């Protein structure tokens, strides 16, 4: 086997599997006679370990995604791959754009980690390709993003919270639990989480405003340029794939990462997103909720930056959270 892992220091969060483990996984999924010709680790994601795997005698490669070891997973990010798998029946509106699951194994009998084998999407990640197009074509890309987000947000669910659970009857309970889980994770790595706990207190105090959201909607959780594929040779950026939907949960569409990113740079090409998605609610209760959602995003960003060893980035989240807290209080 030609094996090309990404070399990382032993203390980093993402850790590659071995060539022997990849062969064992493929033997379990495709049969013991299968031979792996090559496996190349892909570096786009920051949570799972992902490989492009070519099998001898098969024309098209497959994608192998391997979850972190259970002991490395934070409470707020536990079993994300299982959460994605549980979301698939709800993501039917995006089925033509998503990879097909060939096999998923939660037994941890082969390598002690969850893994999923999927079909390989055509195209190139938008994060790598979009910048090659003239900026005059970018609004068309964001209009497509608005269509996709609207399709997903239109899906209604049975409860609030992560698709695979835990489940909550009220939106306020799901939001408060998420804030507290992130704070617990920050505590566990020695980071000050007192500001996030203050936001959790605000959320609990203003539960009535949060509980104006009574219909759980599907939130992709992480849908933006890094999670879509563009056609290879189109004259304008054309979305042909969507992947890594492991942070899905049920709740208020305004709480979604996609909405946060679409609003992040007003007056730019991103404004085209709203032409197809529609406008947001700007009532006082909605503004309050948005502040709580932003604090949750910042808490998650702080945790991710710590995981990546970005010390300066972690420090910057405290100023960002202070600004949000001032507005909330």
């Amino acid at each position: 086997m030609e094996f090309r892992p990404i070399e990382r220091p032993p203390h980093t969060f993402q850790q590659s599997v071995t060539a022997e483990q990849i062969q064992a996984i493929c033997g379990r999924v495709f049969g013991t006679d299968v031979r792996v010709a090559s496996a190349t680790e892909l570096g786009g994601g920051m949570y799972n370990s992902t490989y492009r795997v070519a099998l001898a005698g098969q024309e098209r490669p497959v994608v192998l995604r391997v979850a972190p070891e259970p002991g490395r997973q934070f409470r707020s990010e536990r079993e994300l791959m299982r959460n994605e798998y549980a979301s698939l029946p709800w993501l039917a509106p995006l089925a033509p754009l998503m990879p097909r699951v060939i096999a998923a194994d939660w037994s941890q009998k082969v390598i002690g980690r969850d893994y999923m084998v999927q079909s390989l999407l055509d195209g190139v990640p938008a994060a790598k390709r979009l910048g090659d197009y003239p900026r005059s074509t970018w609004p068309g890309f964001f209009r497509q993003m608005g269509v996709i987000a609207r399709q997903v947000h239109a899906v209604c669910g049975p409860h609030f919270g992560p698709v695979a659970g835990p489940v909550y009857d009220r939106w306020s309970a799901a939001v408060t639990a998420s804030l507290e889980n992130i704070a617990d994770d920050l505590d566990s790595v020695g980071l000050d989480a007192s500001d996030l706990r203050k936001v959790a207190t605000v959320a609990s105090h203003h539960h009535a405003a949060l509980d104006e959201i009574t219909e759980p909607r599907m939130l992709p959780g992480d849908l933006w340029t890094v999670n879509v594929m563009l056609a290879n040779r189109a004259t304008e950026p054309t979305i042909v794939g969507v992947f890594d939907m492991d942070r899905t949960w049920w709740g208020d569409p305004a709480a979604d990462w996609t909405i946060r990113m679409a609003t992040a740079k007003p007056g730019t090409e991103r404004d085209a997103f709203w032409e197809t998605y529609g406008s947001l609610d700007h009532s006082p209760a909605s503004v309050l909720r948005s502040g709580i959602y932003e604090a949750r995003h910042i808490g998650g960003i702080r945790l991710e930056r710590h995981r990546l060893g970005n010390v300066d980035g972690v420090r910057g989240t405290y100023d960002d959270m202070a600004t949000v807290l001032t507005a909330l209080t």
Side-chain angles (χ1 to χ4, degrees):
M1 180 196 308
E2 181 183 357
F3 184 45
R4 298 178 182 175
I6 296 174
E7 299 296 333
R8 300 183 178 92
H11 65 274
T12 55
F13 177 78
Q14 283 182 300
Q15 292 295 314
S16 177
V17 295
T18 65
E20 291 75 17
Q21 287 174 322
I22 290 177
Q23 179 64 57
I25 289 171
C26 291
R28 184 178 180 94
V29 172
F30 298 103
T32 55
D33 293 337
V34 73
R35 183 176 68 82
V36 178
S38 66
T40 302
E41 187 172 4
L42 307 177
M46 294 181 286
Y47 191 77
N48 300 307
S49 299
T50 306
Y51 305 84
R52 179 187 175 113
V53 178
L55 304 173
Q58 294 193 21
E59 182 177 345
R60 191 169 180 83
V62 296
V63 171
L64 168 64
R65 296 168 61 208
V66 182
E69 296 174 359
R72 287 178 171 264
Q73 297 179 26
F74 289 121
R75 180 176 179 178
S76 61
E77 298 178 325
R78 193 169 305 281
E79 297 182 344
L80 292 182
M81 189 175 289
R82 300 187 188 194
N83 187 66
E84 176 177 344
Y85 189 79
S87 305
L88 293 178
W90 302 96
L91 291 169
L94 298 188
L97 296 174
M98 294 184 64
R100 180 173 57 88
V101 175
I102 298 170
D105 186 356
W106 312 149
S107 70
Q108 300 182 2
K109 296 294 185 181
V110 181
I111 61 170
R113 296 160 68 174
D114 290 350
Y115 65 83
M116 187 184 296
V117 179
Q118 298 175 298
S119 61
L120 178 69
L121 288 174
D122 291 325
V124 61
K128 295 181 179 180
R129 182 75 173 91
L130 184 60
D132 296 337
Y133 286 99
R135 291 189 74 104
S136 60
T137 66
W138 291 13
F141 169 80
F142 289 109
R143 289 187 195 99
Q144 294 171 68
M145 290 292 291
V147 170
I148 292 170
R150 187 176 181 86
Q151 287 178 319
V152 180
H153 290 167
V155 178
C156 301
H159 55 75
F160 292 106
V163 174
V167 304
Y168 302 90
D169 293 333
R170 294 176 293 112
W171 178 228
S172 62
V175 172
T176 302
S178 179
L179 291 166
E180 291 175 346
N181 284 341
I182 297 171
D184 288 343
D185 287 334
L186 293 170
D187 286 341
S188 73
V189 295
L191 293 175
D192 182 11
S194 58
D195 53 0
L196 194 60
R197 294 194 186 280
K198 290 178 182 177
V199 176
T201 300
V202 171
S204 180
H205 180 72
H206 291 285
H207 63 88
L210 288 165
D211 289 335
E212 288 183 8
I213 307 301
T214 58
E215 187 174 51
R217 298 298 187 98
M218 168 65 77
L219 314 185
D222 196 27
L223 174 64
W224 200 240
T225 56
V226 296
N227 299 117
V228 299
M229 302 289 279
L230 296 181
N232 276 310
R233 297 179 179 85
T235 56
E236 295 186 352
T238 303
I239 296 175
V240 295
V242 176
F243 58 96
D244 284 5
M245 304 285 277
D246 53 5
R247 296 178 184 269
T248 52
W249 61 321
W250 297 111
D252 178 6
D256 201 8
W257 178 254
T258 310
I259 299 302
R260 196 239 188 198
M261 295 303 290
T263 57
K265 296 181 179 180
T268 68
E269 296 85 1
R270 297 190 190 193
D271 289 349
F273 176 93
W274 307 109
E275 296 176 18
T276 52
Y277 182 84
S279 59
L280 291 177
D281 177 14
H282 295 291
S283 67
S286 177
V287 172
L288 172 65
R289 290 192 294 267
S290 294
I292 296 171
Y293 302 157
E294 176 62 11
R296 178 183 174 275
H297 291 313
I298 294 171
I301 290 168
R302 181 182 299 168
L303 195 62
E304 182 171 81
R305 288 177 178 174
H306 169 79
R307 191 168 61 220
L308 298 174
N310 184 352
V311 177
D312 291 339
V314 169
R315 190 177 300 116
T317 64
Y318 288 95
D319 292 335
D320 295 338
M321 192 75 81
T323 300
V324 173
L325 264 174
T326 298
L328 285 173
T329 57

